[in-house]
Each structure stands twice: as C-alpha cells, then as structure tokens.
Amino acid sequence: MVIETIITHGTDASVDGQIWTNEGAVFAFCDVYKFKGFKGFSLKSIKSFWVELPTGSGCRGN
C-alpha cells in the first residue's frame, strides 16, 4: 500500500493512494472520514472508493 495524500479539515478527513493484491491487481483508493467531533477519534461515517487500474500501472517501488 502507498498513501499519496492525507487531507483534514474540521471533522472531515480523506486519504488516497494505491494498493496491490497478492495476485498482482492494482487498485487506486480514496477514503473519506467524518468524525463525530473535533476531539477524540470516534467516527460518524466512512466512504470508500476503489478503482482497479491496468496491470503494470501504479507507483509501487517509487
């Protein structure tokens, strides 16, 4: 897994990057997190978006 970007603002946060399976598939992902408040780590919701990339793409090893 490679995390490319983490963004936070208020009670919202997002992270994106790429992940590889043992079978060689590559996926780009973006997760969006909503927290219940400014203090603590209690989550209100998570949205996860995944896109399979063509074989040989991605930034693995960079």
Side-chain angles (χ1 to χ4, degrees):
M1 176 190 296
V2 172
I3 294 176
E4 295 178 1
T5 310
I6 299 172
I7 300 172
T8 62
H9 182 73
T11 58
D12 299 329
S14 67
V15 61
D16 74 277
Q18 296 178 7
I19 192 166
W20 296 263
T21 67
N22 290 334
E23 293 77 24
V26 182
F27 292 89
F29 70 90
C30 178
D31 294 338
V32 180
Y33 304 92
K34 291 196 173 279
F35 293 91
K36 290 183 180 179
F38 290 103
K39 294 183 180 182
F41 297 101
S42 296
L43 285 170
K44 182 177 182 180
S45 66
I46 301 173
K47 289 183 186 178
S48 206
F49 302 91
W50 293 71
V51 176
E52 187 168 6
L53 300 176
T55 303
S57 63
C59 62
R60 187 175 198 171
N62 291 342

